[in-house]
Amino acid sequence: MQTTTKRDLCEKIARKTDNTHMVVKKTIQMFLDEIIGELSQGNRIELRDFGVFEIRQRAARKARNPRTGEVAFVPSKNVVVFKVGKLMREKVGNSPQTQPPAQ
């Protein structure tokens, strides 16, 4: 498996659209900033066939320090969850590269 970075995506899109790397980079960053802004306001983001981003509140809980065994209180917090859309699920789910290695 290989890691694709934002820079890699920018270069691919720049080549396909005949835009400069900087224009594509700014556009992608604006897109990501808008997603972050909407989520920070508590809004749900639905991108058809791609997936849905939403905020869920993780409940407060008691945790234990593994070294000392001391009980610690972990407060509730908001977390971002992502639910995969239909098209992505179909494409990624049928990809031979995502299958677990044979044992």
Side-chain angles (χ1 to χ4, degrees):
M1 182 179 357
Q2 181 178 338
T3 300
T4 301
T5 64
K6 183 166 55 170
R7 179 184 182 130
D8 298 333
L9 292 174
C10 288
E11 289 172 1
K12 287 179 183 180
I13 293 170
R15 279 194 303 269
K16 289 180 180 181
T17 62
D18 292 327
N19 282 309
T20 65
H21 177 80
M22 286 306 295
V23 168
V24 173
K25 181 180 174 185
K26 285 181 182 178
T27 304
I28 289 174
Q29 191 58 55
M30 285 189 322
F31 176 76
L32 296 174
D33 290 343
E34 286 298 318
I35 289 176
I36 292 168
E38 291 296 318
L39 289 170
S40 68
Q41 293 175 19
N43 296 330
R44 179 176 187 263
I45 299 181
E46 183 176 327
L47 304 171
R48 296 276 176 186
D49 295 328
F50 182 77
V52 176
F53 294 93
E54 59 187 6
I55 300 293
R56 292 216 181 121
Q57 188 169 47
R58 188 170 288 163
R61 61 187 173 88
K62 291 181 190 173
R64 188 173 301 277
N65 183 328
R67 281 194 190 159
T68 64
E70 180 183 344
V71 175
F73 178 75
V74 179
S76 65
K77 65 179 178 178
N78 291 331
V79 293
V80 176
V81 292
F82 178 74
K83 181 179 176 192
V84 178
K86 183 179 177 184
L87 181 63
M88 184 188 300
R89 183 174 39 252
E90 290 170 357
K91 288 203 175 229
V92 174
N94 294 329
S95 173
Q97 297 162 345
T98 60
Q99 302 301 320
Q103 294 183 10

